[in-house]
Amino acid sequence: RIIVGEVRGSEALDMLQAMNTGHDGSLSTAHANSCRHLLWRLETMAMMSDVGLPAAHIRNQVASAIDVVVQLVRLRGGRRIVWEFAAVEGTHRGEPIVSPLYRFRGRDGDDGRFEATGSVPRVADVLADRGADVDDRLFEEGPDG
């Protein structure tokens, strides 16, 4: 397993290269405004290194190294919640494909709920191939998904 604490700068390139060496189960944290923005921010941080790789190469490394992104936010009252859970499904026309899987939906007078978007990620097949019990009903659209 590869675990990297908070990524803030050029060390992002080292993290991405380590994640792309066939080690399953990597984990790291970084600050960004959304799941999609995280991928752009990782690209920017990796470009801060002195290696000088082309942006397209780094973008492909980001998209191949990361399977899922979990975004947390702090609500007005100070409580932190998981806001969105998204899958990274490669690239299309040079941009990462980010498929939201679950999103927090606030409700008036309620704490809100986490709702599935109906998208089934490719990583679900990888997990199933490795023996995990991944039922497609987990991803059915709506609050009961």
Side-chain angles (χ1 to χ4, degrees):
R1 306 286 184 241
I2 296 172
I3 300 174
V4 178
E6 183 179 347
V7 179
R8 294 178 156 191
S10 62
E11 71 276 5
L13 181 60
D14 295 327
M15 177 197 71
L16 291 169
Q17 289 178 330
M19 289 175 148
N20 277 314
T21 60
H23 293 87
D24 292 329
S26 302
L27 175 73
S28 185
T29 65
H31 289 255
N33 294 326
S34 70
C35 292
R36 180 173 304 284
H37 285 125
L38 173 69
L39 302 181
W40 292 330
R41 186 146 191 267
L42 283 174
E43 178 184 335
T44 300
M45 288 188 286
M47 291 177 72
M48 294 167 68
S49 76
D50 58 359
V51 175
L53 294 171
H57 181 77
I58 292 173
R59 188 171 299 133
N60 286 330
Q61 275 204 345
V62 169
S64 66
I66 298 173
D67 294 315
V68 295
V69 177
V70 180
Q71 180 192 8
L72 280 70
V73 299
R74 185 181 315 199
L75 298 178
R76 280 184 227 142
R79 185 175 70 136
R80 290 185 190 267
I81 61 162
V82 174
W83 186 256
E84 184 174 70
F85 185 87
V88 180
E89 305 277 16
T91 60
H92 178 70
R93 295 185 180 166
E95 287 296 319
I97 300 167
V98 180
S99 300
L101 304 175
Y102 295 92
R103 289 185 173 133
F104 181 81
R105 296 290 184 227
R107 304 278 191 253
D108 290 331
D110 189 337
D111 283 337
R113 69 177 77 204
F114 218 44
E115 294 183 353
T117 63
S119 179
V120 179
R122 288 187 293 186
V123 72
D125 291 335
V126 173
L127 293 171
D129 288 346
R130 293 180 182 169
D133 184 18
V134 181
D135 189 333
D136 282 352
R137 290 180 292 176
L138 279 172
F139 304 102
E140 286 180 0
E141 190 170 2
D144 299 322

